[in-house]
Amino acid sequence: MKYITEPSKRLELKHEYDVIAVGGGIAGVAAALAAKRAGAERVLLIEKMFGLGGLATLGLVTIYLPICDGMGRQVSFGLAEELLKLSMKHGIESRNPVHWLSDYSASERASAERYQVQYNAAVYTILLEQKLREEGIDILYGTSVCEVSVENDKINALIVENKSGRYALGVKSVVDCSGDADICKFAGEETALYSEKNVLAAWYYATKDGVYTLKQLGYAEKEKSDRAEGEEVKTLVRERFTGVDGEEISHMMELSHEQTLIDFLQKGDISDNHALATISSIPQLRMTRRIKGVLDLDINDDKVYKETSIGMISNWRKRGPVYEVPFETLYGKKIKNLITAGRCMSAADNMWEISRVIPCCAVTGEAAGAAAAMSDDFAALSVEKLQNHLVKNGVVLHWDDLMDVK
Ligand SMILES: Cc1cc2nc3c(=O)[nH]c(=O)nc-3n(C[C@H](O)[C@H](O)[C@H](O)COP(=O)(O)OP(=O)(O)OC[C@H]3O[C@@H](n4cnc5c(N)ncnc54)[C@H](O)[C@@H]3O)c2cc1C
């Protein structure tokens, strides 16, 4: 292998922030809102694309999966519910959760549509941006965080690149919401890769005879434990993708575009009543790199009491299971002022498939953002203080506490 040395240069320290959330997906949006609401004065959200929502909008993954357990009980509250309702503000595409928006009993809800919704991606991305602006959060689009500066086990600056070139942003606490634990990797925090790698996905929108439809090409795989002996997994292509190699991701996007066109043309060429409406502008990767946190979220912990819970999530695949999310799944052992949220939090491989979805990104984003406003040393933060704050903001922490919720 050949190497060249990058010319070292002094970088301008352009601004200083109390909290920076990196990545404008649902986790980053929730983290920024929560940090501001918990009292951080200067909060910045950095996003390398030019719109908020990440996979949930730019990635055309437009189903806000359930915030209920499928047995008639809501389990995720706070920003998870607020952001779901925001996605419905100007109407929805489908999966109307009517039983959850007016008075129905738990048994009626148990046999109805779960508390989930399919929204319009373009409207939602604008609404998310407006929400952040209303609450005084700075947004920096078209900007990639490409390096960090670490001193005494704390990140003191993020190195960013955008149209202005390369410069530094000073920071007290960082929330890694990049989906791929980029900041953890740059800072030398311990990370892990998804062992099975990603199958190719190509979700897109088309219109046919006036109907605007989401095409879910490349569905999530069944969990290993749910597959029959020797059951073949049907995939669009044989290749699998780690999602952390630039050239590999670029190649994956080409394959995804190719499959989209093949699928679209099966219904014929473009005509007055047939159009390829939208394709994803970001790679549709599910599980890539995550932090190796102090604790892993574990699939065997269905309804297990967790003293340090920061909220609950359900299982989108089956009705019944509920998981309390321990605070220690959000931060690692090395970098004191770095916390994660969303699909790069710490979860065992078999749980990652459950914890990566939109509601969990909102639950963990809210806790990580609030924690970042309160501390620059997460292992030393009083979890009780964080929990009291979350409860004041409507979060329910434990399965047992649900018995008090109507
Ligand atoms: C094909 C597919 C189908 C899915 N289906 C569903 C579904 O039906 N319902 C559901 O709830 N979930 C679904 N998911 C999962 C879910 O959409 C995502 O896991 C979730 O939205 C992730 O949110 P996030 O905020 O953690 O990360 P992301 O949405 O990935 O957001 C990360 C953001 O960070 C930005 N970023 C990354 N690196 C940097 C950097 N270095 N500097 C600056 N910005 C950076 C990215 O551009 C991106 O906007 C699906 C996922 C896929 C791929």
Side-chain angles (χ1 to χ4, degrees):
M1 205 177 280
K2 290 182 182 169
Y3 294 92
I4 62 154
T5 306
E6 192 178 0
S8 64
K9 60 175 181 180
R10 283 159 64 86
L11 295 177
E12 182 190 354
L13 186 68
K14 231 179 187 171
H15 304 285
E16 306 218 19
Y17 286 93
D18 297 312
V19 176
I20 299 183
V22 182
I26 296 299
V29 167
L33 285 168
K36 190 75 188 179
R37 290 177 188 180
E41 262 181 46
R42 293 155 305 166
V43 178
L44 174 69
L45 181 60
I46 299 180
E47 169 54 48
K48 67 179 171 191
M49 304 297 287
F50 287 89
L52 297 182
L55 279 164
T57 55
L58 312 174
L60 303 182
V61 168
T62 51
I63 305 161
Y64 201 119
L65 282 169
I67 58 171
C68 71
D69 66 350
M71 311 300 279
R73 284 203 171 274
Q74 183 177 341
V75 298
S76 304
F77 297 82
L79 274 168
E81 184 176 14
E82 184 181 332
L83 293 178
L84 182 151
K85 286 189 169 155
L86 182 68
S87 78
M88 304 176 68
K89 186 174 173 186
H90 298 296
I92 63 169
E93 288 185 356
S94 71
R95 302 186 190 222
N96 197 344
V98 278
H99 287 81
W100 296 90
L101 303 175
S102 37
D103 248 356
Y104 280 89
S105 67
S107 62
E108 284 168 315
R109 287 174 171 173
S111 50
E113 176 82 60
R114 290 180 73 175
Y115 196 172
Q116 60 182 339
V117 69
Q118 186 174 326
Y119 51 83
N120 181 271
V123 171
Y124 195 30
T125 201
I126 297 171
L127 289 174
L128 292 171
E129 183 183 278
Q130 289 178 347
K131 182 99 212 131
L132 261 64
R133 283 174 43 198
E134 270 164 35
E135 302 208 14
I137 294 156
D138 290 349
I139 301 170
L140 187 60
Y141 282 138
T143 303
S144 283
V145 177
C146 51
E147 225 177 292
V148 302
S149 158
V150 177
E151 217 177 83
N152 299 327
D153 300 325
K154 286 188 179 171
I155 297 176
N156 58 17
L158 299 178
I159 315 299
V160 300
E161 269 182 4
N162 60 24
K163 203 68 179 163
S164 315
R166 199 180 244 247
Y167 58 91
L169 295 168
V171 66
K172 285 189 190 147
S173 292
V174 180
V175 192
D176 185 345
C177 305
S178 65
D180 309 315
D182 283 8
I183 310 310
C184 296
K185 181 75 183 164
F186 298 150
E189 184 55 79
E190 262 196 89
T191 57
L193 296 178
Y194 182 56
S195 59
E196 289 205 49
K197 301 185 188 169
N198 288 259
V199 297
L200 185 69
W203 289 30
Y204 71 95
Y205 271 89
T207 48
K208 179 93 180 116
D209 302 325
V211 184
Y212 181 66
T213 315
L214 173 63
K215 307 278 183 176
Q216 294 164 273
L217 211 61
Y219 202 65
E221 285 178 284
K222 269 194 207 167
E223 279 170 46
K224 244 188 193 168
S225 55
D226 291 341
R227 286 182 221 151
E229 186 74 21
E231 186 181 333
E232 278 267 322
V233 180
K234 262 197 161 176
T235 53
L236 289 172
V237 296
R238 292 175 78 90
E239 275 169 84
R240 284 175 177 262
F241 308 90
T242 62
V244 293
D245 176 301
E247 289 176 12
E248 177 214 59
I249 298 171
S250 180
H251 167 64
M252 187 194 87
M253 284 305 270
E254 289 172 21
L255 293 175
S256 168
H257 294 157
E258 187 175 43
Q259 292 295 322
T260 301
L261 193 59
I262 291 170
D263 194 70
F264 169 71
L265 292 176
Q266 279 175 4
K267 297 251 166 22
D269 278 345
I270 302 161
S271 67
D272 283 356
N273 55 19
H274 186 217
L276 177 48
T278 342
I279 60 172
S280 174
S281 52
I282 60 174
Q284 293 173 333
L285 288 156
R286 293 180 168 96
M287 284 89 70
T288 57
R289 182 169 52 212
R290 64 169 173 87
I291 191 169
K292 256 186 157 177
V294 172
L295 282 182
D296 277 349
L297 198 60
D298 195 300
I299 197 132
N300 300 312
D301 286 348
D302 175 18
K303 298 188 195 71
V304 173
Y305 178 84
K306 299 285 174 185
E307 196 177 351
T308 58
S309 172
I310 50 84
M312 286 179 284
I313 60 163
S314 61
N315 185 323
W316 64 275
R317 285 187 179 271
K318 12 185 142 144
R319 291 178 184 251
V322 176
Y323 304 94
E324 298 186 6
V325 182
F327 182 49
E328 299 92 328
T329 58
L330 304 185
Y331 62 89
K333 294 177 191 145
K334 289 188 180 162
I335 308 295
K336 292 179 178 163
N337 64 342
L338 175 61
I339 190 162
T340 62
R343 66 188 172 90
C344 57
M345 66 171 286
S346 201
D349 267 13
N350 57 4
M351 183 67 199
W352 204 344
E353 178 61 21
I354 308 303
S355 66
R356 70 177 166 84
V357 299
I358 295 170
C360 186
C361 294
V363 168
T364 52
E366 177 162 19
M374 291 175 186
S375 177
D376 63 356
D377 184 348
F378 298 112
L381 171 68
S382 152
V383 182
E384 208 184 331
K385 181 178 167 196
L386 173 65
Q387 288 174 320
N388 288 339
H389 172 83
L390 292 170
V391 169
K392 258 194 218 141
N393 284 275
V395 173
V396 180
L397 302 173
H398 303 290
W399 172 250
D400 288 346
D401 300 340
L402 271 181
M403 303 311 138
D404 303 330
V405 178
K406 190 181 158 254

